[in-house]
């Protein structure tokens, strides 16, 4: 029993939910987010009824997938929170915060465009991971005062959109130099 007096989900329920999420992630990446619920359920090896037991709507599935895709970024943010030097913590999130590979990043962006709720969820996830380190480095006087967490997220996306790792590294260094407050 859980703390609220409800039973923990059965193993098959947990397995089916994971199968649905994994199948949807793969199917959306390959075929796009317009795929039907029935196709997702089929690719997971379950029926549509099982899908609806776990996700009342396709939009709910998308929200959970966005959350899943953010797990790597959460680990990077936790690592940054444990970093003593404020600028190093910020640089960690800026350069490694988008822990997604190119295909996953395209999937995250595509899922964010499926609904207003998904767009808001994507924005909320991104800002929640970037805001603590942005506030921290701004409060230490190392970040330009006119830069917001949303601005930082946009610069991170800009760097991540470059064509290769060398170009991304150069873009990140240039952007970090421009973001740093320069004391006279």
């Amino acid at each position: 029993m859980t703390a609220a007096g409800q039973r923990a989900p059965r193993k098959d329920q947990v397995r089916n939910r994971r199968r649905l999420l994994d199948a949807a992630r793969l199917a959306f990446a390959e075929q796009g987010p317009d795929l039907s619920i029935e196709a997702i359920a089929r690719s997971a090896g379950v029926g549509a009824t099982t899908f609806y037991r776990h996700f009342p709507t396709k939009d709910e599935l998308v929200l959970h997938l966005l959350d899943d895709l953010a797990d790597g970024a959460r680990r990077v943010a936790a690592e940054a929170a444990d970093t003593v030097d404020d600028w190093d913590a910020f640089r960690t999130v800026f350069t490694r915060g988008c822990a997604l590979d190119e295909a996953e990043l395209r999937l995250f962006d595509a899922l964010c465009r499926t609904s207003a709720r998904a767009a808001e969820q994507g924005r909320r996830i991104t800002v929640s991971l970037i805001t603590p380190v942005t506030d921290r480095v701004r409060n230490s006087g190392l970040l330009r005062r006119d830069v917001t967490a949303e601005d930082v997220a946009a610069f991170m996306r800009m760097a991540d959109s470059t064509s290769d790792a060398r170009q991304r590294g150069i873009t990140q260094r240039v952007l970090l130099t421009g973001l740093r407050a320069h004391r006279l």
Side-chain angles (χ1 to χ4, degrees), residues 87-151:
W87 189 256
D88 284 344
F90 180 75
R91 184 177 31 244
T92 295
V93 169
F94 192 86
T95 60
R96 295 184 25 233
C98 185
L100 303 174
D101 63 30
E102 289 179 35
E104 291 170 327
L105 187 56
R106 281 192 305 274
L107 177 59
F108 189 89
D109 288 341
L111 293 175
C112 285
R113 288 190 298 274
T114 61
S115 73
R117 283 181 68 205
E120 178 55 25
Q121 174 84 346
R123 189 200 68 75
R124 190 173 33 252
I125 288 169
T126 303
V127 170
S128 73
L129 296 172
I130 296 170
T131 297
V133 72
T134 300
D135 290 348
R136 175 180 164 187
V137 76
R138 184 183 307 104
N139 291 339
S140 70
L142 297 172
L143 181 69
R144 294 172 47 134
R145 291 262 171 224
D146 60 338
V147 175
T148 67
E150 288 87 355
D151 297 331

Side-chain angles (χ1 to χ4, degrees), residues 2 6-22 44 46 49-55:
T2 62
Q6 295 177 328
R7 288 187 176 160
R10 295 184 331 249
K11 287 182 183 179
D12 65 320
Q13 290 173 318
V14 172
R15 184 180 58 247
N16 284 341
R17 182 180 183 83
R18 185 75 258 160
R19 285 170 67 184
L20 282 162
L21 286 165
D22 291 344
V46 301
T49 304
T50 300
F51 178 96
Y52 286 114
R53 269 191 227 116
H54 292 279
F55 305 103

